[in-house]
Amino acid sequence: MQVSVIVTAHGRRRYLPHALRSLEAQTLPRDRFEVIVVKNFEDRESDEIIRRNGWKNIVTDVVPLGGKIAIGLEEAKGDIITFLEDDDMYREDRLSYIYRAFASLRDVVYFHNEQVIINEEGKVISGKSQFPAVKARRDFVLSSSLLSKVDERLGVCYYQLLPLLREFCSYPPHFNNSSIAVRRELLDKEKLKPMEGPGFDHMLFALALRPRDERSVLYLTGEPLTYYRVHGNSFSAKAYGKIKASHFKDPRLVERMMWLLKVNRGVSCVAEELPEGCKCNNYELSATLVRLEALYLPTRLARELSQSLVLRPSELLKYLRCGLVNSALSKERSVTSLVIREARSLMYTTLPYVLAFIDRIAPHGSDVPLRLRMMLEAVRARLGARLRLSR
């Protein structure tokens, strides 16, 4: 058995040597893993590390992360495929851990480990997790067939309600590309090619829920085997950025909107991959929330896209219905709390209709829609935070 590590980089030279040196430091014997680096640039320091280790060095103009992964798969010979983004690093025993997990349990199709969060300089920001299973550094082996069951009467994906999965990660499952390893046969290159960074980890998880063999299992560990870097140019840093009044015409808002639209595309692709009959799932609900958040941003781009971002009546009804079903099933709630939650949800989803109406009637050069978005942003943020916390 061999492990193939596909390293991807696009335009960022600064961190790649650190990622490659973390591979040099791996305790797994060299004859049990290979490294394929797929990037869009040449760099003397990184290329020297690749050359002296005899690793594959591929330079390509392909932009999407999934496209780079597909190129790496063409060269990879390993039974197990794992990933490393240029700004992340591995703990020295990560590949050994993966090798043991797949060797000891032949039915494992998907592996994921916890991360340590580091800053631009590589210093640890946080080594702690909010999830009980991760705090205890426990390992879980979960049946893929069990996770992908669907309640036929309610149309809810059963895996969302599995207590063990809830202990391990947030809703919907939010994973990290550099912390994932999968069986080679799980990957569909054609489906992965168009995937951007946001949503790629979700797609891999969704593919693991539809295995060919019912005995297939997912291996989740709370052991922090990946160093996950958060910096100014990373998606994570942009995702957690704050919107202030002074950013009213800031181009960074447009950049954030584009990021949200990419996330929407990613989680929507995952929703399409879920088992038939899964009418209610948190990926689709998250895609809805992302569309609404993009619509509220005080940018002219949001105004131009408002007619397509606003939910159709059928989507609105489905969103409210699935939110109510998931809320009722996931936690014990009183009738009063459910009514309050649905009232908030209704307000959150209907306010964009006001925005869309204003966008349509306001003169083309008017800033009224943008100011209205600025006013509603505070309301949206409070409602959205409450809705996310209540899921």
Side-chain angles (χ1 to χ4, degrees):
M1 184 175 73
Q2 188 180 44
V3 178
S4 294
V5 184
I6 300 179
V7 183
T8 53
H10 192 86
R12 295 188 299 212
R13 293 171 170 78
R14 176 180 176 185
Y15 304 113
L16 183 57
H18 300 285
L20 296 175
R21 291 193 190 99
S22 77
L23 291 174
E24 283 189 306
Q26 291 299 300
T27 57
L28 185 67
R30 290 297 182 94
D31 62 346
R32 294 186 180 178
F33 75 94
E34 64 173 355
V35 176
I36 302 101
V37 182
V38 186
K39 51 187 174 65
N40 71 326
F41 57 83
E42 294 181 352
D43 177 71
R44 185 165 57 182
E45 184 177 7
S46 295
D47 291 346
E48 171 57 25
I49 297 173
I50 297 169
R51 185 199 62 76
R52 70 179 180 230
N53 287 283
W55 297 336
K56 292 184 175 69
N57 186 6
I58 301 172
V59 178
T60 177
D61 292 330
V62 172
V63 175
L65 174 64
K68 288 187 174 66
I69 297 294
I71 291 172
L73 283 173
E74 293 286 350
E75 298 291 331
K77 297 181 176 64
D79 312 286
I80 310 304
I81 309 294
T82 190
F83 313 95
L84 178 60
E85 295 194 17
D86 60 291
D87 50 354
D88 296 333
M89 297 185 295
Y90 287 169
R91 201 172 78 179
E92 66 275 5
D93 60 339
R94 181 173 187 265
L95 293 184
S96 294
Y97 205 106
I98 290 172
Y99 193 92
R100 289 195 301 271
F102 281 89
S104 61
L105 295 169
R106 297 188 180 278
D107 293 328
V108 173
V109 296
Y110 178 95
F111 173 96
H112 190 280
N113 60 262
E114 174 64 351
Q115 312 90 45
V116 173
I117 301 175
I118 59 176
N119 64 11
E120 293 186 9
E121 288 72 38
K123 295 181 179 179
V124 175
I125 297 174
S126 173
K128 299 180 180 179
S129 176
Q130 60 179 313
F131 307 115
V134 176
K135 285 182 180 179
R137 298 193 176 183
R138 293 162 60 191
D139 290 3
F140 288 142
V141 178
L142 309 174
S143 168
S144 182
S145 60
L146 174 65
L147 288 173
S148 61
K149 285 185 178 178
V150 177
D151 185 310
E152 294 181 0
R153 184 172 62 87
L154 297 174
V156 177
C157 293
Y158 183 70
Y159 76 85
Q160 293 181 135
L161 312 177
L162 194 67
L164 291 180
L165 191 57
R166 290 181 60 193
E167 283 190 40
F168 189 83
C169 59
S170 59
Y171 275 3
H174 176 70
F175 298 122
N176 165 248
N177 296 332
S178 299
S179 301
I180 295 172
V182 297
R183 292 275 181 194
R184 185 188 187 95
E185 59 266 24
L186 192 72
L187 298 174
D188 185 327
K189 288 185 291 186
E190 296 307 313
K191 287 183 179 179
L192 295 178
K193 280 181 181 179
M195 293 299 297
E196 304 282 356
F200 181 77
D201 50 353
H202 289 165
M203 175 62 76
L204 291 177
F205 181 70
L207 291 174
L209 296 179
R210 304 188 70 176
R212 298 174 183 174
D213 191 336
E214 291 187 359
R215 297 173 300 175
S216 300
V217 296
L218 284 68
Y219 193 113
L220 309 178
T221 177
E223 194 66 32
L225 304 173
T226 304
Y227 294 99
Y228 176 51
R229 194 188 305 269
V230 176
H231 54 90
N233 292 323
S234 69
F235 280 131
S236 298
K238 295 169 186 173
Y240 296 112
K242 300 293 183 182
I243 298 176
K244 300 178 181 179
S246 60
H247 295 160
F248 180 62
K249 294 184 178 180
D250 197 316
R252 283 177 293 180
L253 287 179
V254 176
E255 186 178 7
R256 178 169 173 78
M257 165 162 279
M258 298 308 295
W259 183 88
L260 287 170
L261 295 177
K262 286 183 178 181
V263 171
N264 171 66
R265 180 183 177 187
V267 292
S268 296
C269 286
V270 175
E272 294 173 2
E273 290 298 318
L274 293 176
E276 292 183 14
C278 184
K279 299 175 183 176
C280 294
N281 63 83
N282 279 317
Y283 289 104
E284 198 162 37
L285 296 181
S286 294
T288 298
L289 288 171
V290 165
R291 283 171 60 188
L292 295 175
E293 184 173 349
L295 180 61
Y296 280 110
L297 293 182
T299 67
R300 295 192 181 281
L301 180 57
R303 179 179 179 182
E304 293 173 7
L305 295 174
S306 63
Q307 307 304 318
S308 59
L309 289 174
V310 173
L311 300 180
R312 297 189 298 273
S314 59
E315 291 180 296
L316 172 61
L317 291 174
K318 182 176 182 179
Y319 175 78
L320 294 173
R321 174 186 174 276
C322 290
L324 178 61
V325 171
N326 277 333
S327 182
L329 289 175
S330 61
K331 295 179 182 178
E332 291 184 6
R333 296 176 183 275
S334 66
V335 175
T336 302
S337 65
L338 284 174
V339 170
I340 292 174
R341 186 198 174 286
E342 284 308 295
R344 287 183 184 139
S345 188
L346 181 61
M347 185 183 300
Y348 185 77
T349 51
T350 53
L351 278 176
Y353 290 93
V354 177
L355 286 174
F357 178 73
I358 297 297
D359 287 337
R360 181 169 291 181
I361 65 172
H364 182 71
S366 173
D367 283 341
V368 171
L370 304 183
R371 294 195 179 95
L372 178 60
R373 281 185 171 80
M374 191 78 96
M375 293 169 57
L376 292 178
E377 169 59 24
V379 177
R380 182 213 64 80
R382 286 195 294 270
L383 287 172
R386 288 178 177 272
L387 290 171
R388 287 189 178 93
L389 287 173
S390 64
R391 291 212 184 283

